[in-house]
Amino acid sequence: IDPFPPRASLPRNMIENSMFEEEPDVVDLAKDSTFPALDPDEVVYEPRSSRLLVRGLGENDLDDEEEDYESSARLLGMSFMNRSSTRSPSASPYIRQAPPRSCSRPSARMLVVGVFILVLVTSMAMVLYFLPGCTFTKVCANSSTPMELVYPKSTTGEMFPWNELRLPASVRPVNYDLSLTPNLTSMTFTGRTIINMIIQHNTKRVVLHSSEINIIKATFQSVEVKVLEYKPWQQIAVSFPGDLKEGQVCVLTLDYTANLSHTYDGFYNSSYNDKTGAKRVLAATQFEPQAARKAFPCFDEPAFKATFLVRITREPEYIALSNMPKAKTTTLPSGMLEDEFEQTSVNMSTYLVAFIVANFTSITRNVSNTLVSVYSVPEKKEHTQYALDTASRLLQFYNTVFDIDYPLRKLDLVAIPDFLAGAMENWGLITFRETSLLVQNQSSLLDKQLIANVVAHELAHQWFGNLVTMRWWNDLWLSEGFATYWQYASLMTEFPQLYLERFKAMAKDSLNSSHPVSVSAQVTTPEQVSEMFDSITYEKGASLLLMLNSTLPDGQFRKGLLEYLRQYRGSNTVTDDLWNSITRESVSDMMRTWTLQKGFPLVTVSRKGGEVTLTQEHFLLSTDNTTHTSSLWHIPVTYVNDSCSSAPSCRQMFTLRNKTATLKVSESVKWLKLNYMNTGFYIVHYGDEGWTALIDALKTDVSTLTPHDRASLIHNIFSLSRLGRVSFRQVLSLLDYTTNETETAPLTEALTQLSSVYRLLDKRPELRLVARMKAYILGHFGPLMDSQDWGVEESVSSQERRSALLELACSLGRKNCTDQATALYEQWTNSNQTNRIPGDLQRVVFSVAAQSDSGWLSLLDTYRLTTYDSEKRKILQALASTQDPRRIVWILSTVLEGGIIHTQELPLVISTVSDGFAGHLFVWDFVKESWDRIIEKFPVGSYSIQSIVKSTTSQFSTQTHLEEVQGFFSSLKERGSQMRSVQEALETIRLNQHWMDRNLATLRDWL
Ligand SMILES: [Zn+2]
């Protein structure tokens, strides 16, 4: 999945949740070698052995004493159930609070806990006895006997025979036969799912997922059976009196009805207005991560791979698409048509299944042995050519570079009018937002680059993710980190004319609330799974792969990846499988230090003559300077010096494994620059003298370092100032050189950093300081801003640079900029929109126009009518950039409503409004008031919610706001209080507050 819709601002800070990471009981038990072996059926599909312990009992115990358990479940479970059944599945008190798991077999710590509980029990015996909690006595008083399992109660009141969020491994699906009949008038569908499965271990139950589905009839081996449902965990089960035997092949058939989902996941309905203004409806799917269960009952975990045969019944006016090519169409007596698709030729995870019923049209091309098609609504057919060209080219590239051909005979790319993510890599049927796939031929390369990026990402997934799949969501980076890495690497090779920004994950990873790329803590609830889709998984994952590639000898990285793909094709992996495929022992040792701990290192350089000392520490932003961690990384430190500094051959390498190390350089070396080309995931501090030498060198000759190295110096010095290691004066001193800077990477880095400081100050009552900051920015970059050409610009890099400069110039009200933008806008409207505005300038031109009454209203009209998606999105951003409070309120409520503006755009609108002075307080109120409606559309923990939380809170810097944000989120309880993004927001506000306390006075002096 590509959760980053084009041009939505990426969160610059991020995530975590130390609460979830610290599960000491579970972890300790895992290390306890005396813990008894578990029955295989008790083994939940999970990469970490620690997770097994949550359950703590063998199946035999259960089955032999089922009645006892049932009665105790009534006794104990009901009160638990009463609490939990009213909660959404994202709140799982059972997992976090369930007392039994801490009572299986004593470790030292458990004994202490046990004693403590005994004391509690004694002192509160009477109270406890009459509360459900009295079961502590029974369960824990003698902690060496197995505790009794508490089973939930199913909807019918009977005991549900399973008590884990993860499914048992005793049954494995082999093939699904799915028949679906959507009704696009009543917005409902009926379905029949026939699951062929094989029994892996003797068991008395079959447990699988199902959510928001009404099962009408179920048969097992042709005999009608009763299905039990436990809604909070989205599970259904069938129990049997006797054992299903290992090796037995069984067939479960389920007939059901359901509503098409009105959110963006499951089998959902979507609509758009065609060119006559008539409303058109369609139905599409979005299953990743856990919504396949909303469309058909299934074993909805990535490790349960199976084959699928899909049949869709539709009205003649629609077409149906699925992962595989259509095998045949049958006319039914009702006049409806049934399309049957070939059975999948590959084993795949449920989250990759997809089907669509719509009135789309397509263009196609044969590439090698694959028929590539791009589908869209009929009126946008002429916007599909670029996507087809790009997909064809990239398919050939990946076929070659991965040395395994794309395994299906067809590959469809489909633009869906209402789609939440950027795109989704369903095998053979990739779905996109219209803005991620459709572009006019005459659009700018910058607009096309967005399409190329998303297509490259999703195509890479057909190998990394689809062919080889992570075993569980804690290792999601094995799919998303790779797709992000290859998105970058494939475009570098195939489209060298594009300008590619490197991944940004450091701001998020420098907070205490970050998490390791490969998560060893619990990732179980839907909310925890959703939260894995963040920029640590995507962008830090990709950064680590980039670092590894640049560290290994030429060809070694690819060789390892090919081995990984060959060895695991069709199956599932954990992170260590990857390192083991790259068969150098040092790789595994090195990479584990990067994937298993959160954060990244700061390398400090100090020099005495020819002796250079490098010291590493955890780069952790905190308001409390006493917080230190002992984390160490194996850092592949690269460096260049003044005698040879920009060519790749200048690069020298040194692995820093310990806290400190020294290296020798010639005394005549004037300066060192570490992290050549910024391929390493670390920050460098050069000390006062080191920085001064580098700054002098840049002032003398900008090109002494590569643009990537210059950009990394700017990034690092801002980061060090945030950490309190360098003064803001030193930051400004480095920026002095930028008056001579003309390259895109360092310029955009400097502008991004400065405008984030500016926006922070802008939200405080510091009018004079804001004015001086503005004067500083314009003083430095004004001449460059004024010298920009407003005509058609060919190079993507120049387009990127020009739009960054002009957007900042116009937003700061530089007259030269606003005059030019106004003139272009007038030419465009006067020519009845035939006199086109260059694509990279549209956003700045529209945003300037949207500040006037007439401009805003005419843009709104254009927004309603235009079919050009890239233009439409820029108009929306312009509309949201208004400083008129009434319009801000209108646009926020309109987008939440859906209709004129699709609700999918809410995160983009919120982030745009938040950046403005007028909007940032309104938008926070809006989010508070509308929270429940927002989470109806966007799941708690999802990337959209992460983005909304971040953009509305990240510019607060006062105690009052800190308390308000804290108060609001803690009042949400299971509706969002536990999210990592909330931790991140609180941390960020504290850091902002701290930064202001430290820097305001000095800024007043310096600027
Ligand atoms: Zn992806």
Side-chain angles (χ1 to χ4, degrees):
I1 199 168
D2 182 346
F4 308 122
R7 305 308 276 183
S9 61
L10 301 180
R12 296 189 72 79
N13 308 303
M14 212 95 201
I15 310 301
E16 155 6 32
N17 182 353
S18 49
M19 278 182 283
F20 296 168
E21 281 177 12
E22 285 152 25
E23 293 268 337
D25 296 350
V26 176
V27 173
D28 278 356
L29 278 167
K31 291 177 184 149
D32 185 349
S33 57
T34 64
F35 194 82
L38 293 164
D39 182 286
D41 192 23
E42 297 301 303
V43 180
V44 178
Y45 265 51
E46 179 83 33
R48 313 274 168 193
S49 59
S50 61
R51 301 300 324 292
L52 307 180
L53 300 157
V54 178
R55 309 252 330 285
L57 243 206
E59 175 174 78
N60 295 333
D61 299 317
L62 164 77
D63 286 340
D64 295 343
E65 303 169 58
E66 207 163 71
E67 281 181 17
D68 280 0
Y69 288 121
E70 195 167 352
S71 56
S72 69
R74 284 208 191 95
L75 186 72
L76 320 178
M78 282 179 197
S79 64
F80 158 65
M81 290 317 331
N82 290 343
R83 264 190 297 140
S84 66
S85 58
T86 56
R87 298 190 180 194
S88 77
S90 59
S92 68
Y94 206 93
I95 284 297
R96 294 208 194 118
Q97 301 171 4
R101 75 145 187 249
S102 53
C103 311
S104 349
R105 186 51 91 84
S107 66
R109 182 189 299 228
M110 296 319 301
L111 280 174
V112 172
V113 173
V115 169
F116 176 72
I117 289 170
L118 271 175
V119 171
L120 256 178
V121 164
T122 319
S123 61
M124 294 166 64
M126 289 310 290
V127 181
L128 281 174
Y129 190 74
F130 294 105
L131 289 173
C134 69
T135 57
F136 273 96
T137 321
K138 194 172 176 186
V139 174
C140 299
N142 177 357
S143 57
S144 63
T145 50
M147 86 290 178
E148 300 188 16
L149 280 182
V150 179
Y151 279 86
K153 202 166 73 167
S154 65
T155 40
T156 54
E158 288 156 274
M159 186 194 75
F160 190 79
W162 186 244
N163 69 341
E164 263 298 300
L165 265 165
R166 297 291 302 278
L167 299 180
S170 49
V171 180
R172 184 169 64 80
V174 178
N175 178 60
Y176 292 83
D177 189 321
L178 306 177
S179 302
L180 295 139
T181 307
N183 181 329
L184 295 182
T185 311
S186 65
M187 293 300 170
T188 56
F189 66 99
T190 59
R192 163 176 283 195
T193 297
I194 305 169
I195 311 174
N196 278 277
M197 47 201 170
I198 184 156
I199 307 302
Q200 304 283 89
H201 313 290
N202 292 3
T203 185
K204 289 191 172 66
R205 65 201 156 196
V206 175
V207 186
L208 62 161
H209 289 111
S210 166
S211 173
E212 295 166 38
I213 281 174
N214 305 313
I215 292 172
I216 301 163
K217 188 181 170 197
T219 60
F220 188 80
Q221 309 290 59
S222 310
V223 178
E224 190 157 350
V225 289
K226 182 160 70 177
V227 173
L228 299 168
E229 179 169 21
Y230 181 48
K231 284 189 175 168
W233 290 352
Q234 308 177 340
Q235 290 172 347
I236 55 173
V238 180
S239 289
F240 302 94
D243 268 346
L244 303 172
K245 298 286 186 226
E246 181 176 335
Q248 195 181 337
V249 177
C250 314
V251 182
L252 175 66
T253 304
L254 298 154
D255 288 294
Y256 57 95
T257 62
N259 291 322
L260 287 171
S261 167
H262 62 278
T263 61
Y264 295 105
D265 64 2
F267 193 14
Y268 73 97
N269 75 75
S270 162
S271 67
Y272 69 98
N273 294 326
D274 67 14
K275 55 175 178 280
T276 68
K279 185 176 171 183
R280 295 292 201 137
V281 291
L282 60 124
T285 57
Q286 166 60 42
F287 291 162
E288 193 182 20
Q290 297 185 314
R293 62 190 70 170
K294 289 175 146 188
F296 58 96
C298 58
F299 296 78
D300 200 8
E301 296 187 4
F304 286 113
K305 289 191 171 186
T307 53
F308 293 82
L309 188 151
V310 176
R311 280 185 212 92
I312 306 248
T313 302
R314 60 179 167 88
E315 310 246 6
E317 66 195 276
Y318 293 106
I319 60 161
L321 298 169
S322 186
N323 305 80
M324 296 296 288
K326 191 158 69 182
K328 64 177 181 198
T329 300
T330 316
T331 308
L332 304 178
S334 59
M336 304 266 280
L337 302 176
E338 185 191 72
D339 290 329
E340 180 177 314
F341 299 89
E342 292 172 17
Q343 177 168 310
T344 57
S345 51
V346 284
N347 269 325
M348 58 189 234
S349 304
T350 44
Y351 78 89
L352 293 169
V353 175
F355 30 86
I356 296 168
V357 178
N359 66 330
F360 291 164
T361 52
S362 65
I363 61 172
T364 62
R365 179 185 301 168
N366 259 307
V367 178
S368 307
N369 297 316
T370 304
L371 186 68
V372 182
S373 310
V374 180
Y375 286 85
S376 71
V377 301
E379 42 269 86
K380 293 181 180 174
K381 189 175 179 179
E382 65 270 31
H383 303 172
T384 51
Q385 191 61 45
Y386 182 76
L388 184 65
D389 294 344
T390 307
S392 305
R393 195 157 155 190
L394 287 168
L395 183 62
Q396 272 169 327
F397 171 81
Y398 287 136
N399 275 340
T400 309
V401 81
F402 297 147
D403 208 19
I404 294 178
D405 278 352
Y406 171 76
L408 307 185
R409 287 196 290 112
K410 67 102 171 165
L411 174 65
D412 297 335
L413 296 87
V414 187
I416 311 261
D418 215 3
F419 191 80
L420 188 55
M424 174 63 211
E425 69 266 21
N426 315 303
W427 218 341
L429 184 64
I430 310 178
T431 45
F432 295 78
R433 264 186 188 218
E434 291 185 322
T435 42
S436 308
L437 190 68
L438 305 180
V439 71
Q440 294 164 271
N441 283 338
Q442 71 268 35
S443 292
S444 71
L445 260 186
L446 196 61
D447 287 333
K448 290 178 175 168
Q449 169 184 294
L450 296 172
I451 311 298
N453 259 302
V454 183
V455 171
H457 179 104
E458 304 309 330
L459 278 187
H461 269 312
Q462 307 299 307
W463 287 262
F464 289 94
N466 299 10
L467 192 63
V468 179
T469 313
M470 66 279 157
R471 192 179 293 169
W472 181 247
W473 302 106
N474 68 312
D475 272 329
L476 178 62
W477 86 279
L478 288 174
S479 170
E480 298 299 352
F482 268 115
T484 308
Y485 172 80
W486 280 110
Q487 159 190 345
Y488 180 79
S490 65
L491 295 188
M492 290 265 277
T493 317
E494 286 297 292
F495 297 83
Q497 73 277 24
L498 298 185
Y499 171 75
L500 297 164
E501 225 186 309
R502 205 83 78 44
F503 338 108
K504 288 185 171 155
M506 279 187 165
K508 299 132 192 142
D509 205 24
S510 57
L511 299 178
N512 190 39
S513 52
S514 187
H515 64 86
V517 159
S518 175
V519 178
S520 55
Q522 192 155 284
V523 180
T524 318
T525 66
E527 179 184 314
Q528 289 164 343
V529 170
S530 293
E531 282 184 322
M532 289 304 297
F533 293 80
D534 69 5
S535 55
I536 299 297
T537 296
Y538 283 71
E539 295 179 301
K540 184 180 180 184
S543 303
L544 299 185
L545 294 169
L546 181 77
M547 178 167 73
L548 178 60
N549 185 19
S550 68
T551 305
L552 293 173
D554 264 358
Q556 202 75 33
F557 179 67
R558 176 166 171 255
K559 195 162 155 258
L561 296 192
L562 295 189
E563 178 55 35
Y564 173 75
L565 285 174
R566 264 196 298 271
Q567 188 174 353
Y568 298 106
R569 61 186 296 176
S571 61
N572 297 78
T573 54
V574 296
T575 299
D576 271 346
D577 296 331
L578 173 64
W579 307 144
N580 293 337
S581 298
I582 304 171
T583 50
R584 301 174 136 237
E585 205 158 284
S586 57
V587 165
S588 176
D589 288 349
M590 172 180 125
M591 293 312 290
R592 285 166 144 261
T593 69
W594 294 92
T595 52
L596 295 178
Q597 26 185 20
K598 69 182 180 186
F600 57 88
L602 164 65
V603 175
T604 302
V605 185
S606 65
R607 188 171 161 195
K608 280 207 180 76
E611 194 174 279
V612 178
T613 306
L614 304 178
T615 310
Q616 65 160 304
E617 65 189 291
H618 185 172
F619 186 98
L620 180 64
L621 291 178
S622 94
T623 50
D624 171 7
N625 291 328
T626 60
T627 315
H628 290 297
T629 69
S630 54
S631 305
L632 288 179
W633 287 262
H634 288 191
I635 312 172
V637 172
T638 53
Y639 57 99
V640 293
N641 64 43
D642 59 302
S643 63
C644 179
S645 56
S646 57
S649 57
C650 301
R651 185 186 83 153
Q652 300 182 67
M653 186 133 68
F654 171 86
T655 305
L656 177 57
R657 290 191 179 81
N658 302 317
K659 179 86 185 154
T660 64
T662 54
L663 56 97
K664 293 262 187 286
V665 297
S666 157
E667 299 243 2
S668 65
V669 164
K670 291 201 196 98
W671 48 260
L672 290 171
K673 160 74 177 67
L674 273 65
N675 200 2
Y676 174 70
M677 290 291 279
N678 200 24
T679 51
F681 199 70
Y682 57 94
I683 280 179
V684 185
H685 184 18
Y686 297 92
D688 285 350
E689 283 173 31
W691 278 111
T692 307
L694 282 164
I695 291 168
D696 287 347
L698 285 176
K699 283 180 182 165
T700 313
D701 177 12
V702 168
S703 62
T704 193
L705 292 174
T706 69
H708 270 307
D709 283 303
R710 273 133 57 196
S712 87
L713 285 180
I714 295 171
H715 171 268
N716 287 2
I717 205 161
F718 270 97
S719 306
L720 289 167
S721 135
R722 224 158 277 145
L723 192 65
R725 294 295 171 90
V726 304
S727 67
F728 207 71
R729 185 191 290 281
Q730 279 172 291
V731 175
L732 299 181
S733 156
L734 171 65
L735 289 183
D736 278 346
Y737 103 86
T738 57
T739 42
N740 294 323
E741 184 60 82
T742 53
E743 282 293 330
T744 307
L747 266 179
T748 50
E749 185 65 46
L751 295 178
T752 309
Q753 297 283 357
L754 282 170
S755 53
S756 82
V757 175
Y758 175 83
R759 280 205 307 272
L760 211 53
L761 291 173
D762 188 35
K763 307 294 158 26
R764 298 268 294 216
E766 292 288 343
L767 292 183
R768 291 185 59 191
L769 194 50
V770 171
R772 272 142 71 186
M773 187 77 193
K774 185 197 271 190
Y776 172 84
I777 295 173
L778 294 177
H780 258 73
F781 300 99
L784 194 57
M785 289 165 168
D786 292 345
S787 71
Q788 296 303 302
D789 184 272
W790 289 69
V792 173
E793 174 64 71
E794 293 301 333
S795 127
V796 186
S797 165
S798 309
Q799 290 177 13
E800 186 88 34
R801 183 173 63 234
R802 172 169 85 172
S803 57
L805 281 162
L806 295 178
E807 278 170 28
L808 185 56
C810 281
S811 76
L812 295 180
R814 191 165 181 89
K815 193 163 177 312
N816 193 312
C817 183
T818 52
D819 285 353
Q820 298 262 22
T822 309
L824 264 188
Y825 184 73
E826 280 167 6
Q827 281 174 29
W828 184 64
T829 47
N830 294 342
S831 69
N832 208 9
Q833 303 185 2
T834 54
N835 205 342
R836 292 181 51 78
I837 304 166
D840 60 312
L841 295 179
Q842 283 173 350
R843 199 162 36 169
V844 63
V845 168
F846 294 151
S847 296
V848 169
Q851 306 311 314
S852 78
D853 271 358
S854 59
W856 196 86
L857 291 169
S858 85
L859 279 169
L860 183 60
D861 284 341
T862 311
Y863 183 81
R864 287 176 207 257
L865 298 173
T866 187
T867 53
Y868 302 138
D869 290 292
S870 58
E871 196 170 283
K872 195 162 178 160
R873 203 168 165 84
K874 291 171 200 154
I875 296 175
L876 181 60
Q877 283 173 288
L879 291 171
S881 76
T882 177
Q883 296 299 297
D884 179 334
R886 287 178 198 287
R887 295 210 166 107
I888 290 170
V889 171
W890 180 86
I891 201 166
L892 287 169
S893 58
T894 305
V895 67
L896 184 56
E897 203 68 44
I900 305 173
I901 309 171
H902 280 308
T903 308
Q904 65 179 11
E905 303 291 8
L906 185 67
L908 176 71
V909 167
I910 285 181
S911 85
T912 311
V913 171
S914 301
D915 277 350
F917 180 75
H920 90 290
L921 293 178
F922 282 111
V923 77
W924 168 239
D925 278 350
F926 167 82
V927 166
K928 282 188 294 181
E929 278 163 21
S930 319
W931 185 260
D932 286 345
R933 287 180 61 201
I934 294 174
I935 59 172
E936 258 173 43
K937 283 284 184 185
F938 307 97
V940 172
S942 64
Y943 178 74
S944 305
I945 292 291
Q946 295 171 31
S947 155
I948 288 170
V949 172
K950 154 134 204 337
S951 40
T952 45
T953 59
S954 63
Q955 293 174 83
F956 289 150
S957 61
T958 64
Q959 185 64 26
T960 316
H961 276 137
L962 175 67
E963 285 163 16
E964 195 181 310
V965 171
Q966 200 156 23
F968 171 70
F969 284 109
S970 62
S971 77
L972 292 177
K973 308 245 163 50
E974 74 276 10
R975 283 150 42 238
S977 65
Q978 310 259 306
M979 290 188 296
R980 284 174 178 164
S981 44
V982 172
Q983 301 289 319
E984 180 209 339
L986 297 174
E987 236 182 298
T988 303
I989 300 171
R990 278 191 205 103
L991 287 166
N992 289 346
Q993 198 182 352
H994 189 62
W995 189 89
M996 288 287 177
D997 291 348
R998 217 171 39 202
N999 288 303
L1000 270 186
T1002 39
L1003 273 176
R1004 287 188 197 109
D1005 289 346
W1006 292 336
L1007 279 175

